[in-house]
């Protein structure tokens, strides 16, 4: 049978391809090659193969784009996390400074109260000394008048 197919193949290549009766499932293509698939099936299969190849390329491009996007988001996430930690650190420092100022203010208020108490003691002592001085001056005056 292969001799019949080869002679039919060479005969159809030399002439305008006359209709030959072929067993079911065997076909000649446009260049007189023997095929197992019908020309429409072969064409559809070729088209499907090309579409699959195109789809695979597009999926690859999509994966590249998604990979770049994921990398960019990862970088952005790291930057956001760094800024978040910096903000937390700044907030903690602010709280610490605020607490330090409150402690310093309380210390200064205690110092003011202590100094005011000391001032009051000095004022009372001064008044006492002024009375003593006045009494002595009166005593001296009375002694001078008696003489």
């Amino acid at each position: 049978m292969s001799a019949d197919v080869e002679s039919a193949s060479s005969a159809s290549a030399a002439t305008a391809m006359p209709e030959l009766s072929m067993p079911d499932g065997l076909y000649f293509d446009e260049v007189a090659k023997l095929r197992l698939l019908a020309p429409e099936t072969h064409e559809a299969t070729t088209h499907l193969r090309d579409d699959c190849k195109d789809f695979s390329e597009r999926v690859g491009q999509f994966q590249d784009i998604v990979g770049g996007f994921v990398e960019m988001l990862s970088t952005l996430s790291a930057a956001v996390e760094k800024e978040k930690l910096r903000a937390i650190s700044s907030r903690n420092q602010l709280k610490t400074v605020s607490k330090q100022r409150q402690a310093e203010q309380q210390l200064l208020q205690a110092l003011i109260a202590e100094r005011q108490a000391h001032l009051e003691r000095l004022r009372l002592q001064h008044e006492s000394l002024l009375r003593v001085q006045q009494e002595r001056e009166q005593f001296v005056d009375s002694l001078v008048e008696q003489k």
Side-chain angles (χ1 to χ4, degrees):
M1 168 134 179
S2 76
D4 290 335
V5 171
E6 285 179 18
S7 65
S9 171
S10 61
S12 58
T15 63
M17 200 143 158
E19 287 292 321
L20 295 176
S21 64
M22 296 294 295
D24 285 342
L26 294 177
Y27 303 94
F28 284 103
D29 66 4
E30 64 275 357
V31 289
K33 285 190 177 182
L34 185 60
R35 302 281 182 185
L36 292 175
L37 296 175
E40 300 83 24
T41 307
H42 177 68
E43 185 177 317
T45 305
T46 303
H47 183 68
L48 181 62
R49 183 191 65 215
D50 293 342
D51 286 349
C52 287
K53 184 187 273 186
D54 184 46
F55 179 75
S56 293
E57 288 173 4
R58 287 184 182 190
V59 167
Q61 290 172 350
F62 179 74
Q63 286 177 335
D64 291 343
I65 290 169
V66 168
F69 185 69
V70 166
E71 183 178 328
M72 180 183 69
L73 285 179
S74 176
T75 303
L76 185 60
S77 171
V80 165
E81 191 65 28
K82 182 179 177 182
E83 285 299 316
K84 179 182 169 185
L85 291 175
R86 217 174 104 216
I88 290 170
S89 174
S90 295
R91 184 176 58 206
N92 288 342
Q93 284 178 345
L94 260 172
K95 286 180 181 178
T96 301
V97 166
S98 176
K99 287 180 181 180
Q100 285 175 345
R101 284 189 178 165
Q102 285 177 348
E104 186 178 323
Q105 185 178 12
Q106 288 174 352
L107 181 65
L108 289 174
Q109 286 175 344
L111 185 61
I112 288 171
E114 181 184 320
R115 296 247 169 114
Q116 284 177 337
H118 184 67
L119 178 64
E120 184 62 24
R121 281 192 305 273
L122 289 176
R123 188 184 63 73
L124 291 174
Q125 185 180 11
H126 181 261
E127 286 177 6
S128 173
L129 289 174
L130 282 176
R131 273 187 253 127
V132 167
Q133 181 183 8
Q134 190 178 19
E135 288 173 4
R136 287 187 181 172
E137 285 177 358
Q138 286 175 355
F139 178 71
V140 168
D141 285 342
S142 71
L143 282 177
V144 168
E145 284 181 10
Q146 287 180 358
K147 277 195 182 189

